[in-house]
Amino acid sequence: MDSAATAAFASWTFDWTAVSILLAALFLYIRGWLRGRTLIRDQSDQSRLLAFAAGLIVIFLAIESPLDAFDSLFLSAHMTQHLLLMMLAPPLLLLGRPFLPLLRGLPKSFVKEGLGPFLTWPVFKNIATFLTAPPVTWLIFAVMTVAWHLPFCYELALKSSAWHGVQHACFFWSGILFWWPILDEHSKRPSWIFIPYLLLADMVNTGLSAWFVFSGKLLYPTYDLVRISSLKASDDQILAGLIMWVPGSLIYLVPAFLLAMKVFSGTRAQQPPTFERVRNRPVSKFNWTAFIARHRRWPQAALLLVAIAVMADGWFGKQITPMNLAGTLPWIYWRGLSLLALLTVGNLFCMACPFILVRDLGRTILPAKLKWPRALRNKWLAAALFVTYLWAYEALNLWNSPWLTAWLIAGYFLTALLIDGFFNGASFCKYVCPIGQFHFVISMVSPREIAVKSPSVCRTCKTFDCIKGNTQTRGCELDLFQPKKLGNLDCTFCLDCVKACPHDNVGLLTIAPAKTFLADTYRSSIGRLTKRNDWIAMILIITFGAFVNAAAMTDPVMMLILHRHALFTIAGTILVPALLIALCGLLSPGKNTVRKFAILLAPMGIAMWAAHAAYHALAAFVPDIMPIEILLLNAGVLLSIYLIWTAAQGKIRLAAPWATLALGLYATGLWILFQPMQMRGMM
Amino acid sequence: MKKLFLFVFPVLLAWADGGTVLFHKPAGDFDITLFSKSEAVRAGVNDLSVLVQRPDHSTVMDATVLLHLEQKQTTGDILRLTAIATHAKATNKTLYAVPFNIPATGTWHLEADITSQGKTGTATGQIDVLPPLPPVANYWPYVAMVPALGVAFLINRKLRQRYRPRLK
């Protein structure tokens, strides 16, 4: 094989968006398929899984293989791609009976509350019935096949990426519709009608193929612009016609033949599928949470070593930010990874926090008996430290100074050691650490929570080991009493409660993200969130701080603020938010609305932090990071508005000012993303 | 754009390198074709790719491809930019590609220098660089998801009210 051919076969696209969507579809299907198998096992379900996976692989080959790289140079490559998308992928996907597994793969509440009303909507049902009726599906398929091969339409698709996309969407979806009635297992239509259905479709296919082969003129002149091999454009067109004719026809004729065999052999309606009720399926008893609780010192030690390496490089290494661990790890990768962990699992960074080992060391060499001052048992100090951090980040160019970063980390270690060396409990984590507060707030949208498995077990408990501890292990140092704990606020995921509980009744449970925003009930060690001004201020500072932190690295804002960092930070995190919140409070009638609704803006701020971190962590690896950033902002604004709507119980006048503010933050976030940004700490 | 469709419709295709042909010219012992990935060249980063062929249409795979862009500034100075196009940066590995950051709009003089096995060739041409589209124009489909999902949510609420007994 010559070098050009080798290069051609190496021309895989690997577009991350397409691959992510295909993997997400496979993940959902397998998740739903596994859930279904725990109920009843259909004898044919493994073949369905294989068919669905094969369908996705065919799509992958069509859109990521060299076929894609050469579709604008060879009509035959483009035709093969169309064949895969229109005639092979759809039947394979449908043979996987994807509807139920995909629905089962989604969160139950989303299916019931979100999709349920649409799926049971008579209008939807009527449209679906109409669109899947064989005459309609056949007609749509035939029209799409013919129309898109007319020279005007095909040339349009070759010249415009948007129309190219529409063309392929039409091919794929008309393929799905075409094969739907044939493969519908609940269809009451006689099988024989699909024999003429397939044969007539093949006639259309044959006619088109013959046109390609015998027309004698070049149908799509674009393919004559560049000739990349000895194959002339006219010969390439004949080859494309033959591909469409022979393998294309087989895809219609083989099923038609099988159907004919079935009809003429007198086989009655399909045998009902055989099911086996699943009983006593072995359930894995391995307790991952307890395992992590026992071994969490290891990640803490690993992160401690990393922190030491970062400090050493910051002090003694080259002071070139992108080449120094203190310039890259804390400001680029740690932020991105900790946010990713928070949004997909929970507060894993606090669980593996390197300061904990130092704190514990402090307790062994220092008295650790004093009580944290009553006046400081709130979040005000941490909030002030967080604002100071935002200011220092810009004013002192922390991101660009490995030396200062190393001192900052060392200062953090020393503060943790001294505070927890002299004061009892986890005073540093609970009242001082601004990173911890940041993680607590972000973890309000985490999908996992340390919580009791069965409340009834706690009602019979007399020892309360989860908070008091026992001879084996300490209880919760942040004073969170598990039966009264709600959400992730103040929880460092230390898992002491998991280890301490003698009934194995505390675990890492899956929850609906952001659900606890709406629960204004008593929370252990916190009380009611709407009564805690310090917590509300902390949440708002983190929310608006996201925009301040991101805006400060854009060109227009940098030109605007110059060296007025303190004013910009205070205005952005305190003054402007206070004004906006007060205005919304005036516009939305009712008691306690400000405290209730202001915290619901947090998802918008969290999304901005995530988009910002994604930019720094991924821009070097992903060619176009903007879609990910916008999708994160979308998720944030939609979640905020959903929470506001739910909290307002559908009262538009109450919800409108807050929803408008959320949209305003969204627009601000988009504006920030669209500005030229400094590639801080990145090569 | 493709990514939007990938999201909305699970199947759509990537563009090959290539896309729009900017010019196709002989360059000494070679024929070269210059492609732009997008339909129009705009100020900012553009994916430019080059196909190098011999007169018999066989593809030259071992060439060194240098792209130069020149524009006369209002001050009278000449701004000259140079980039090396390589197979590594191309999706279609028979092409030589480079993401070229073009800083200004207007007409640019383009020169492609090809060297392979001791033979050299140069092709020149002009490209018109249009002003960049505002970012929203490139990413509007992603932004449009918010109002679209908002409308879907409102319909969902209406349906839940109307068919509540059935849902229970």
Side-chain angles (χ1 to χ4, degrees):
Chain A
M1 197 182 287
D2 67 11
S3 58
T6 310
F9 281 108
S11 301
W12 289 76
T13 309
F14 285 114
D15 176 49
W16 65 268
T17 316
V19 175
S20 306
I21 291 171
L22 292 175
L23 286 176
L26 185 63
F27 169 77
L28 276 184
Y29 186 95
I30 291 177
R31 191 163 182 249
W33 183 79
L34 288 172
R35 277 184 177 176
R37 273 168 63 91
T38 58
L39 303 172
I40 47 175
R41 187 185 297 164
D42 181 344
Q43 296 299 319
S44 61
D45 58 6
Q46 279 175 347
S47 57
R48 290 178 181 181
L49 172 64
L50 288 176
F52 188 80
L56 294 179
I57 290 169
V58 170
I59 294 173
F60 175 80
L61 290 175
I63 65 176
E64 303 294 316
S65 75
L67 284 176
D68 180 53
F70 284 89
D71 70 352
S72 59
L73 298 172
F74 291 106
L75 178 61
S76 48
H78 209 170
M79 189 59 75
T80 310
Q81 194 182 36
H82 290 174
L83 207 69
L84 295 178
L85 283 174
M86 196 173 195
M87 299 187 193
L88 203 55
L92 283 171
L93 291 175
L94 292 174
L95 279 170
R97 315 279 183 227
F99 196 66
L100 263 183
L102 287 176
L103 283 181
R104 281 199 190 116
L106 291 165
K108 278 180 193 169
S109 57
F110 174 71
V111 174
K112 190 181 172 195
E113 307 289 330
L115 297 181
F118 291 105
L119 296 176
T120 54
W121 188 16
V123 175
F124 175 82
K125 282 183 175 176
N126 290 342
I127 292 172
T129 307
F130 172 75
L131 280 179
T132 53
V136 178
T137 56
W138 190 93
L139 200 63
I140 291 173
F141 186 78
V143 168
M144 289 298 164
T145 308
V146 173
W148 275 112
H149 285 98
L150 295 174
F152 168 75
C153 298
Y154 206 96
E155 284 286 334
L156 182 69
L158 285 174
K159 288 189 172 75
S160 153
S161 57
W163 281 110
H164 197 181
V166 174
Q167 181 194 44
H168 288 162
C170 290
F171 282 158
F172 176 75
W173 285 108
S174 62
I176 289 281
L177 286 176
F178 178 80
W179 291 99
W180 186 286
I182 301 172
L183 297 171
D184 181 9
E185 62 183 341
H186 303 297
S187 171
K188 292 191 172 68
R189 297 180 187 98
S191 301
W192 67 265
I193 65 161
F194 294 111
I195 298 172
Y197 180 91
L198 286 161
L199 292 177
L200 285 170
D202 184 47
M203 284 173 68
V204 174
N205 185 62
T206 303
L208 261 179
S209 311
W211 187 41
F212 277 74
V213 174
F214 298 120
S215 66
K217 62 173 183 177
L218 196 62
L219 298 174
Y220 313 125
T222 296
Y223 285 110
D224 202 27
L225 284 177
V226 183
R227 193 173 144 196
I228 197 169
S229 70
S230 55
L231 190 68
K232 288 182 192 166
S234 53
D235 295 337
D236 181 38
Q237 180 178 304
I238 292 172
L239 179 61
L242 290 173
I243 290 169
M244 193 179 191
W245 204 334
V246 182
S249 285
L250 281 176
I251 293 171
Y252 302 108
L253 295 179
V254 170
F257 176 74
L258 292 175
L259 277 171
M261 290 280 287
K262 193 171 143 188
V263 170
F264 293 120
S265 65
T267 310
R268 293 270 171 192
Q270 241 185 351
Q271 292 289 323
T274 52
F275 295 109
E276 175 196 338
R277 190 164 291 280
V278 177
R279 290 198 179 94
N280 302 326
R281 178 177 288 276
V283 178
S284 169
K285 289 285 183 189
F286 189 76
N287 189 338
W288 281 103
T289 316
F291 176 80
I292 298 167
R294 280 198 302 276
H295 297 94
R296 70 191 167 92
R297 290 292 187 202
W298 289 104
Q300 286 170 2
L303 277 189
L304 180 62
L305 288 175
V306 172
I308 291 168
V310 166
M311 285 189 289
D313 206 21
W315 281 322
F316 309 115
K318 284 184 182 172
Q319 296 297 305
I320 302 168
T321 308
M323 297 171 69
N324 193 300
L325 286 178
T328 51
L329 279 188
W331 303 121
I332 297 177
Y333 297 111
W334 166 73
R335 284 208 304 189
L337 288 173
S338 61
L339 270 162
L340 181 69
L342 281 159
L343 297 179
T344 54
V345 185
N347 195 354
L348 295 186
F349 177 77
C350 283
M351 179 194 282
C353 177
F355 305 126
I356 289 180
L357 290 174
V358 178
R359 280 177 42 203
D360 289 350
L361 174 71
R363 284 172 186 174
T364 57
I365 55 175
L366 294 168
K369 285 186 179 164
L370 295 174
K371 286 194 171 179
W372 187 251
R374 185 171 289 277
L376 295 177
R377 287 183 205 166
N378 49 52
K379 300 293 174 182
W380 293 115
L381 175 62
L385 287 172
F386 192 80
V387 174
T388 309
Y389 153 74
L390 289 177
W391 163 79
Y393 186 73
E394 293 303 326
L396 307 179
N397 273 350
L398 284 179
W399 58 272
N400 200 26
S401 172
W403 187 79
L404 266 182
T405 303
W407 277 113
L408 180 69
I409 298 170
Y412 227 101
F413 274 115
L414 186 65
T415 312
L417 184 137
L418 289 176
I419 289 178
D420 283 354
F422 286 102
F423 297 94
N424 62 10
S427 304
F428 178 75
C429 301
K430 195 174 174 78
Y431 303 117
V432 182
C433 179
I435 298 175
Q437 313 311 313
F438 179 78
H439 290 159
F440 295 154
V441 172
I442 309 286
S443 67
M444 290 181 86
V445 298
S446 294
R448 297 262 171 166
E449 179 188 345
I450 306 287
V452 294
K453 295 174 188 170
S454 167
S456 61
V457 174
C458 292
R459 281 196 284 274
T460 60
C461 178
K462 304 289 182 202
T463 54
F464 310 127
D465 296 26
C466 61
I467 190 162
K468 289 182 176 173
N470 51 41
T471 52
Q472 304 289 317
T473 188
R474 63 191 176 199
C476 181
E477 290 193 297
L478 288 103
D479 297 329
L480 295 170
F481 180 47
Q482 276 300 329
K484 297 281 182 188
K485 176 176 172 282
L486 180 69
N488 284 321
L489 287 182
D490 266 358
C491 178
T492 57
F493 270 46
C494 68
L495 304 181
D496 283 340
C497 51
V498 175
K499 278 166 76 180
C501 179
H503 311 289
D504 188 22
N505 194 39
V506 182
L508 186 59
L509 307 186
T510 303
I511 55 165
K515 197 175 177 182
T516 57
F517 273 103
L518 295 168
D520 188 24
T521 51
Y522 175 82
R523 298 167 195 242
S524 175
S525 176
I526 293 169
R528 286 177 64 181
L529 203 53
T530 53
K531 302 278 185 194
R532 290 287 303 267
N533 288 338
D534 55 334
W535 258 120
I536 294 169
M538 188 79 236
I539 292 171
L540 287 174
I541 284 171
I542 288 173
T543 301
F544 283 84
F547 296 88
V548 168
N549 190 240
M553 61 182 280
T554 62
D555 284 349
V557 176
M558 281 194 294
M559 296 295 287
L560 182 75
I561 59 178
L562 292 173
H563 298 293
R564 296 186 285 269
H565 297 292
L567 178 66
F568 176 69
T569 308
I570 290 172
T573 55
I574 298 171
L575 300 180
V576 173
L579 273 174
L580 292 171
I581 300 292
L583 185 64
C584 286
L586 285 174
L587 293 173
S588 57
K591 196 179 168 186
N592 220 13
T593 51
V594 169
R595 289 171 167 176
K596 191 172 161 187
F597 284 94
I599 57 170
L600 305 182
L601 299 168
M604 194 58 247
I606 293 168
M608 190 69 222
W609 280 112
H612 186 174
Y615 173 76
H616 284 300
L618 298 177
F621 310 106
V622 179
D624 186 6
I625 189 73
M626 189 66 81
I628 295 178
E629 294 179 280
I630 299 176
L631 288 175
L632 284 166
L633 281 192
N634 288 355
V637 72
L638 288 169
L639 187 53
S640 270
I641 291 177
Y642 170 75
L643 292 173
I644 289 165
W645 174 277
T646 310
Q649 296 175 325
K651 291 172 189 158
I652 291 175
R653 209 177 144 210
L654 195 57
W658 300 98
T660 307
L661 182 52
L663 286 170
L665 286 175
Y666 176 70
T668 308
L670 282 181
W671 180 83
I672 291 170
L673 295 185
F674 289 152
Q675 299 311 307
M677 286 196 181
Q678 274 189 335
M679 300 288 280
R680 293 179 170 180
M682 298 148 78
M683 292 293 265
Chain B
M1 201 62 183
K2 169 205 160 195
K3 290 182 176 116
L4 155 78
F5 286 113
L6 271 166
F7 197 82
V8 179
F9 311 108
V11 175
L12 277 200
L13 302 189
W15 284 102
D17 295 278
T20 309
V21 175
L22 293 180
F23 65 64
H24 177 78
K25 289 186 174 181
D29 292 325
F30 310 104
D31 281 340
I32 71 158
T33 311
L34 179 74
F35 300 92
S36 151
K37 190 172 180 180
S38 51
E39 288 134 54
V41 181
R42 295 183 179 276
V45 178
N46 290 269
D47 278 322
L48 298 181
S49 47
V50 181
L51 173 66
V52 184
Q53 294 175 292
R54 297 184 189 88
D56 65 354
H57 299 294
S58 60
T59 311
V60 179
M61 296 299 296
D62 59 354
T64 304
V65 178
L66 280 174
L67 292 179
H68 309 282
L69 280 173
E70 278 183 8
Q71 190 188 44
K72 194 170 184 182
Q73 305 294 289
T74 48
T75 56
D77 298 336
I78 302 275
L79 176 62
R80 185 177 167 89
L81 308 167
T82 298
I84 302 173
T86 61
H87 291 305
K89 287 173 186 156
T91 306
N92 181 336
K93 301 294 180 194
T94 60
L95 306 183
Y96 301 83
V98 62
F100 214 124
N101 193 356
I102 305 176
T105 57
T107 303
W108 286 75
H109 177 79
L110 190 142
E111 184 183 306
D113 291 337
I114 316 296
T115 311
S116 170
Q117 296 178 352
K119 294 176 180 174
T120 58
T122 299
T124 58
Q126 288 195 329
I127 55 171
D128 288 323
V129 179
L130 303 176
L133 289 171
V136 176
N138 287 327
Y139 298 104
W140 68 264
Y142 296 96
V143 179
M145 283 177 194
V146 171
L149 288 171
V151 170
F153 177 75
L154 290 176
I155 296 173
N156 173 291
R157 295 288 125 166
K158 281 281 171 204
L159 290 175
R160 280 162 60 93
Q161 280 174 359
R162 191 181 297 175
Y163 300 109
R164 188 171 292 277
R166 189 178 302 181
L167 285 171
K168 283 179 179 174

